[in-house]
């Protein structure tokens, strides 16, 4: 467990042995300043904090970490179904389940196939306590988006000029569109702020032109 300051610098960290029998407290330099055994019911090993993420669709690691073009070619081959990307802030787990959409979102439903490449949700209180989280996450998602854009350009050429496709509107977005397999292949970065919480997502979709 690491304690960081508002700028993201390490202040100290606590390390527990795998069996939970001992713990060590280290300063910012990594030097041990205390080590000892656990009193009964005072120390236990727990998992790390999990930030809210959207369950992946279509094995996003293939597109993000490996064969981006191969993963992109699979999407146009899938049977087109109506979908609307889910929001991490406002709920929804299945982009193909349209039953809870309001009239505004129903007008923005597209037909095709969607892959969630990356997603992250930051609570307002986390951002207030650790402001660096917002910039660091933005930088990370910018890098993911630009890397995917470069790979798709290498495989399919330059994006279609003058074509801008928005799968879901938000407080910040960018997209590029290619023609692949008779459909429009859309890469979109999406950011949304809701009650101070902030979400970032990157989507890859094949939609009917």
């Amino acid at each position: 467990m690491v304690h960081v300051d508002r700028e993201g610098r390490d202040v100290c960290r606590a390390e527990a042995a795998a069996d939970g029998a001992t713990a060590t407290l280290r300063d910012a330099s990594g030097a041990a300043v205390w080590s000892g055994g656990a009193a009964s019911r005072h120390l236990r090993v727990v998992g790390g904090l999990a930030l809210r993420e959207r369950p992946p669709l279509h094995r996003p690691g293939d597109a993000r970490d490996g064969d981006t073009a191969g993963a992109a070619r699979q999407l146009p081959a899938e049977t087109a179904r109506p979908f609307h990307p889910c929001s991490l802030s406002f709920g929804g787990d299945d982009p193909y389940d349209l039953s809870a959409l309001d009239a505004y979102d129903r007008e923005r439903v597209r037909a095709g196939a969607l892959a969630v490449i990356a997603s992250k949700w930051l609570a307002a209180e986390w951002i207030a306590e650790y402001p660096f989280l917002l910039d660091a996450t933005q930088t990370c998602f910018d890098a993911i988006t630009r890397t995917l854009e470069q790979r798709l350009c290498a495989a399919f050429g330059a994006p279609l000029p003058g074509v801008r496709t928005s799968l879901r509107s938000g407080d910040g977005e960018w997209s590029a569109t290619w023609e692949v397999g008779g459909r429009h292949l859309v890469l979109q970065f999406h950011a949304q702020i809701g009650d101070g919480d902030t979400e970032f997502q990157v989507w890859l979709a094949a939609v009917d032109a």
Side-chain angles (χ1 to χ4, degrees):
M1 181 174 65
V2 182
H3 171 60
V4 298
D5 63 18
R6 291 174 61 83
E7 282 70 48
R9 297 179 296 239
D10 282 14
V11 175
C12 63
R13 64 181 58 214
E15 299 174 351
D19 59 4
T22 60
T24 301
L25 183 65
R26 300 184 182 276
D27 63 18
S29 70
V33 296
W34 177 88
S35 183
S40 176
R41 301 170 70 178
H42 284 182
L43 177 66
R44 62 190 179 94
V45 179
V46 298
L49 173 67
L51 305 187
R52 188 183 304 174
E53 297 184 359
R54 177 66 52 211
L57 303 173
H58 300 281
R59 298 180 61 198
D62 292 346
R64 183 178 65 236
D65 303 322
D67 185 6
T68 303
R73 289 189 178 94
Q74 295 176 18
L75 289 171
E78 297 195 17
T79 301
R81 293 187 289 161
F83 73 87
H84 188 257
C86 297
S87 167
L88 300 176
S89 301
F90 302 111
D93 294 313
D94 183 356
Y96 299 100
D97 181 1
L98 311 179
S99 60
L101 295 185
D102 59 22
Y104 177 86
D105 286 335
R106 284 186 179 278
E107 293 179 357
R108 286 151 182 79
V109 169
R110 305 299 297 263
L114 173 72
V116 180
I117 306 302
S119 62
K120 188 65 69 179
W121 177 87
L122 301 174
E125 55 267 30
W126 303 346
I127 297 171
E129 184 70 19
Y130 301 109
F132 71 90
L133 284 175
L134 193 59
D135 289 341
T137 305
Q138 175 77 64
T139 298
C140 177
F141 273 75
D142 285 346
I144 291 172
T145 304
R146 297 311 165 198
T147 297
L148 292 175
E149 180 192 16
Q150 292 169 6
R151 292 177 183 173
L152 293 172
C153 284
F156 306 118
L160 295 174
V163 177
R164 182 181 178 278
T165 305
S166 177
L167 303 173
R168 182 185 182 112
S169 60
D171 298 302
E173 60 184 274
W174 173 93
S175 69
T177 304
W178 294 261
E179 174 120 20
V180 178
R183 289 183 177 170
H184 279 178
L185 180 71
V186 182
L187 172 66
Q188 181 175 341
F189 163 80
H190 170 85
Q192 180 80 49
I193 301 173
D195 297 328
D197 302 334
T198 302
E199 67 174 90
F200 298 95
Q201 297 197 62
V202 176
W203 301 312
L204 190 61
V207 299
D208 292 343

